[in-house]
Amino acid sequence: MHIVTIDNDFGSWRTAARKLIVAGRDPSLIEWRTTDGVDGIPMTSGMAPSINRTLFEDADTFDEGNDANASSEGDVDRAIGADTNPAIDASGNPHAGASPSVGFAVPHDVLKRLRTAARASDPQRWAFLYRVVWRYAHGDHASVLPGDIDGARLSRLARDVSREYHHWRAFLRFQETFESDNTPVLMAWFAPEHDVLEPLAEYFEKRLGRSRWVIASPDGLAHHNGKHVVYDRRARLEPPRPGDDTEALWRTYYQSIFNPARVNLDLTRQHMPARFWKHLPEGDLIQRLAIAAATGQRRHGQADALRGAGGKVITVSAEAAQPQRDVPHDIDACRRCPLWERATQPVRGTGPAGAAIMLLGEQPGDHEDLAGVPFIGPAGELLDRALASAGIQRQTLYLTNAVKHFKWAPRGKRRMHKTPAQREVEACHVWLEQEIAAHQPRVIVTLGTTALSSLTGMRLTLTSMLNKPFEHAGVWIVPTYHPSYALRAIDAAARDDAEQKLTAALTIAHQLAQGVRY
């Protein structure tokens, strides 16, 4: 086993790799070490001899000085070798046991990929990159192709480093500081997963012109002195303290433009992973504002902010402040949307006055439309099983729907459920408001997305809120699946899972109604 010690950078590895390949050193017989340690263990004197003193004492040929002749343009980068490869025969196959001489060529795009992959945090990258180049130099050009196991790994490492670089181009934040002579210096601190300090510094050198700035990381820093960039891999700086006036102004602006109607936390995490948030002035606000938007707290917060602002106070009675709406006195006479035309009858809510728990569904089904009673069809039977499992008696609940008329489409002789449109849900909301005001439940279990959106007035995804109780307008809300969701499950396992989640939500609601806090 040959021990090779290099500086922890691509240039040092490339020089060593060139000599090793010319000397015919098989990758399996080489242990790579760096001057700053192996696998995080600091090197000590005598642990690993220098590459030039040991491995090549018996080597007759060294590929020295070819870097000066390396082409910076064209199809082939000569930085690893020259033009010919005697180790490969006329058919392009390697001679048995042969090693390439001083000359072997690596295409420019491959060398670029190697250089990028060398910045990955993989502790075995030097040995891996040498194996790739060894195979390529011996005629096995598949080593750099995505279909090869090594080629796929090379592409993945290069892609991860490139993605890290592009992320930090977008998310690195500078903070203005001052030196002892009051000279302004822009300071940025980041903790990348891969070594992208130098390419990032090159990027900001072009963007920031002659400004003085420092980009610091746990692995060193880059300092632009107004003329050029200076790198110091041994220097360590603490992250800058947050809280300057510019940052405070930005945070205020960010909160004011945050739009809860357009928030998608999963998409935000996809394009801006959460590990970057701590480096952004607004980072700690993102999660908090998203949760506030999901639970309706943002609207209350805005109202409090407006209430505290100065201005003219106008006293208006509650009745006069309400918009003029054509609300019939009885639901049988409701014509606020066209659904009444094809429905048999409106389906009113049922349950005792003052019920502590309200179950809110989407709309009546075929059975409910004919009987005029909610939750008596197949979905109602599944709901009864879930209620029994949760230890709740149906007659103690108030059951209703966000939409009171059955919306359906014909399919043969059957009337098939059709999801109500947003305008139809909004048209029927007046009846839900009256039911809540009349019964004043402590807990409302929303069955399905339509019920949740109708109650909160926001477009929320059920998957993000499933079985997570929250307070809204003084009432506990427990979002969960509609019983019909379990009936439509693709298999028994999925149906059992949906029914268990429904039962769990009912159990949570029962506990909240009894005063248990979540």
Side-chain angles (χ1 to χ4, degrees), residues 305-312:
L306 291 174
R307 192 180 300 113
K312 185 178 181 180

Side-chain angles (χ1 to χ4, degrees), residues 74-77 106-116 136 144 154:
D75 296 331
V76 177
D77 191 314
V106 174
H108 178 71
D109 65 313
V110 174
L111 186 63
K112 181 179 179 181
R113 214 179 317 159
L114 292 168
R115 184 180 288 110
T116 303
Y136 193 94
V144 298
L154 177 65

Side-chain angles (χ1 to χ4, degrees), residues 173-177 187 189 238-251 277-284:
R173 293 292 187 268
F174 288 89
Q175 180 177 321
E176 189 175 41
T177 60
M187 176 68 186
W189 193 93
E238 293 296 324
R241 294 182 179 180
D244 63 356
D245 293 340
T246 303
E247 183 174 307
L249 180 63
W250 169 253
R251 287 169 59 87
W277 295 3
K278 64 181 179 181
H279 299 280
L280 304 176
E282 70 276 17
D284 64 312

Side-chain angles (χ1 to χ4, degrees), residues 342-391:
R342 304 183 66 194
T344 304
Q345 59 188 320
V347 179
R348 293 176 170 83
T350 60
I357 301 175
M358 172 185 286
L359 299 190
L360 178 62
E362 179 191 79
Q363 67 167 355
D366 182 67
H367 293 79
E368 290 81 1
D369 175 69
L370 296 174
V373 180
F375 294 102
I376 61 169
E381 295 175 0
L382 191 147
L383 176 63
D384 288 340
R385 292 201 304 270
L387 288 171
S389 299

